[in-house]
Amino acid sequence: MTAPARRRPTPGPADDASRAPSPPGEPRQPRGPGDAGDAGERVHVAVVGAGVAGLAVTACLLDRGVDVLAFDENADIAHTWRQRYDNLRLNSVRWFSQMPGQPIPRSCGRWVSRDDMVDYVTRYAGSVRHVVRSGSRVTAIRRGRASRWLLTTDAGLVAADHVVLATGLYHEPFVPPWPGRERFGGRLLHAADYRRPDPFEGERVLVVGAGVSGVDIATDLLRRSSGTLTVAVRTTPSFLPRELWGIPLQPLSVSNKHLPIRLQDLGGRIIQRLSAGDLADTPFGRPTEGMFSRLLRTGVSPSVDDGAFLAAVRAGRVRVVPGVAALEDGAAVTADGRRWEADTVIAATGYRTGLERLLTEPGALDERGVPPQYGPDNRRWAAQGLHFVGFTSPLTGHLREIGILARRVARTIHRARAGARTRAGAGSRKGDRAPLVG
């Protein structure tokens, strides 16, 4: 695949907000490391994370002439995509998966592959690479004194008026602390470490979790010529295909996103029945909660099956068992007390944001460590210079939503900067006004 180069950002004026007089009632901004305020480097906007979300918001800020610096702990661009398994294809359609300002080439097909996505993201990064510090880790974000925010990095302090957190929902793989892990003896890995089925040829493999990653990996493992496959589930999943009768379903989700949740749940059940049949004839049984209601409550999306996985379950090629309660020597013990022998356990058990160690501001994160992407809480933090991109995964498309939020955050920051300059100019004119002489 050859992706067209992203348009170069239109050069904007240098951000001189740090040198302009502060608006009345606001603290004076530092001029640099020697200022009496916060020590360290000074930038108007610091973006934490330079994956798809971080690159998108950085590009949108540069397009508006905003001074920005992005930090990423990984040394290579598109690091997360490079680590995905070989046969991965996006569950979102190509034209709803592109980043702001650069389409994904039609040659990538309807459902973009991992390798094509790596190439696309790498090319996209070309026009913003000069403001991305790869291999630079941010370890803490706290309130500043002269600046709004102060970031601690492994190379020193950075003061910023605005911080955009863009490390995403899938930052830290999570493996449950099952009793007996140290005695298991076989291979225990997270879904993030899975690449291809070949190393598991002939093995007894247990996949824990039937979410998006679990079903994808289980389907990939069906390509082996020998070995057994077991999937452990705690909660009955819902299933949707990428497309129905050759028509991608994502545009339908986009058009219906403002409908009441009960109607979205009804639509989801109808599509599931048309594509997957009645789940009552599978070990999963019928879901007890609507797929959109569950997504809203837990952040868990329906699993994606284009026909191979559920067909294998119904044919007995995939054994479905209750959730794992413990591990022991060469086996997993499920919630019903039964023991299932396994050579390898693949934990498709989700991810954590890891933000609770980075950001300790009260109320910024919910119980899952996820910041608010919408609503009054999001606007309250944005007014304080703290923004979030990439922490939601709606059925309208995770990558599509990243593009929408990246543009919105860039627009919000640009307007805030323009407003501050207007207030500063008004204050200066007021101070320069000649006194009246009677």
Side-chain angles (χ1 to χ4, degrees):
M1 181 200 74
T2 301
R6 183 183 178 275
R7 70 179 190 276
R8 295 291 300 180
T10 303
D15 191 316
D16 293 326
S18 63
R19 293 183 290 276
S22 296
E26 294 188 10
R28 182 175 62 87
Q29 299 300 319
R31 291 184 173 85
D35 189 78
D38 297 319
E41 190 174 4
R42 177 77 167 89
V43 67
H44 189 58
V45 183
V47 177
V48 183
V52 167
L55 292 172
V57 74
T58 298
C60 291
L61 287 164
L62 286 176
D63 282 348
R64 290 180 176 271
V66 176
D67 177 34
V68 58
L69 193 58
F71 300 85
D72 196 89
E73 63 186 4
N74 301 301
D76 52 343
I77 295 293
H79 176 84
T80 299
W81 294 100
R82 296 177 194 277
Q83 303 306 309
R84 299 297 188 188
Y85 52 92
D86 294 355
N87 285 329
L88 178 142
R89 287 190 176 273
L90 297 184
N91 291 327
S92 55
V93 73
R94 182 192 72 249
W95 51 91
F96 279 162
S97 304
Q98 60 197 28
M99 298 163 73
Q102 181 174 322
I104 300 175
R106 292 174 61 89
S107 59
C108 294
R110 179 176 286 180
W111 310 105
V112 182
S113 70
R114 179 202 65 180
D115 290 345
D116 283 345
M117 197 65 187
V118 167
D119 185 62
Y120 169 71
V121 174
T122 301
R123 289 179 178 273
Y124 187 91
S127 63
V128 302
R129 196 69 179 85
H130 61 291
V131 295
V132 176
R133 292 189 180 172
S134 299
S136 182
R137 184 182 182 86
V138 176
T139 57
I141 301 171
R142 65 182 188 274
R143 301 270 184 180
R145 294 188 302 275
S147 63
R148 278 179 165 183
W149 299 97
L150 194 63
L151 290 73
T152 302
T153 77
D154 50 15
L157 298 177
V158 177
D161 292 319
H162 295 266
V163 172
V164 182
L165 284 169
T167 49
L169 288 170
Y170 312 112
H171 188 62
E172 296 183 356
F174 173 74
V175 177
W178 291 306
R181 280 178 54 171
E182 69 283 353
R183 300 193 304 274
F184 174 54
R187 282 190 291 189
L188 173 61
L189 65 150
H190 190 271
D193 299 314
Y194 175 84
R195 295 292 177 273
R196 59 191 67 87
D198 305 11
F200 309 99
E201 188 67 47
E203 288 192 0
R204 299 164 297 183
V205 178
L206 170 64
V207 177
V208 183
V212 175
S213 295
V215 169
D216 250 9
I217 289 171
T219 302
D220 201 41
L221 287 166
L222 288 171
R223 299 191 300 119
R224 298 177 301 162
S225 60
S226 63
T228 64
L229 178 58
T230 302
V231 175
V233 295
R234 291 188 305 169
T235 305
T236 301
S238 295
F239 293 90
L240 286 177
R242 288 183 177 88
E243 54 186 46
L244 186 64
W245 303 318
I247 302 172
L249 291 179
Q250 188 183 2
L252 182 63
S253 294
V254 172
S255 63
N256 292 342
K257 68 177 182 177
H258 296 300
L259 291 177
I261 289 295
R262 67 180 185 280
L263 293 182
Q264 295 186 53
D265 283 340
L266 175 61
R269 284 196 297 272
I270 292 172
I271 292 173
Q272 179 175 260
R273 187 65 177 261
L274 290 171
S275 63
D278 188 354
L279 296 182
D281 68 359
T282 72
F284 296 113
R286 293 172 181 161
T288 57
E289 184 177 19
M291 61 181 68
F292 288 88
S293 294
R294 186 185 181 203
L295 175 61
L296 186 64
R297 182 177 62 85
T298 67
V300 176
S301 299
S303 302
V304 176
D305 177 37
D306 288 322
F309 177 74
L310 284 172
V313 169
R314 289 186 169 105
R317 296 178 60 201
V318 178
R319 178 170 52 195
V320 178
V321 302
V324 171
L327 298 177
E328 56 183 46
D329 186 18
V333 179
T334 50
D336 59 359
R338 298 183 67 183
R339 184 178 185 275
W340 305 93
E341 294 184 346
D343 302 300
T344 295
V345 172
I346 301 175
T349 45
Y351 296 79
R352 301 292 183 267
T353 66
L355 290 181
E356 63 278 357
R357 294 188 301 277
L358 187 66
L359 180 67
T360 58
E361 286 292 309
L365 307 174
D366 66 14
E367 65 279 0
R368 296 180 293 128
V370 179
Q373 287 275 222
Y374 311 101
D377 286 344
N378 177 272
R379 292 191 292 271
R380 178 170 62 87
W381 286 110
Q384 299 176 60
L386 188 60
H387 313 265
F388 314 102
V389 176
F391 294 95
T392 183
S393 188
L395 288 185
T396 53
H398 178 62
L399 295 173
R400 175 181 178 273
E401 200 70 11
I402 282 175
I404 293 171
L405 293 175
R407 292 184 181 96
R408 188 186 75 184
V409 166
R411 183 171 61 248
T412 298
I413 292 173
H414 181 258
R415 286 176 177 173
R417 184 185 65 164
R421 287 176 168 173
T422 299
R423 292 192 301 271
S428 298
R429 289 191 297 273
K430 183 177 180 180
D432 293 341
R433 187 178 299 161
L436 293 175
V437 177

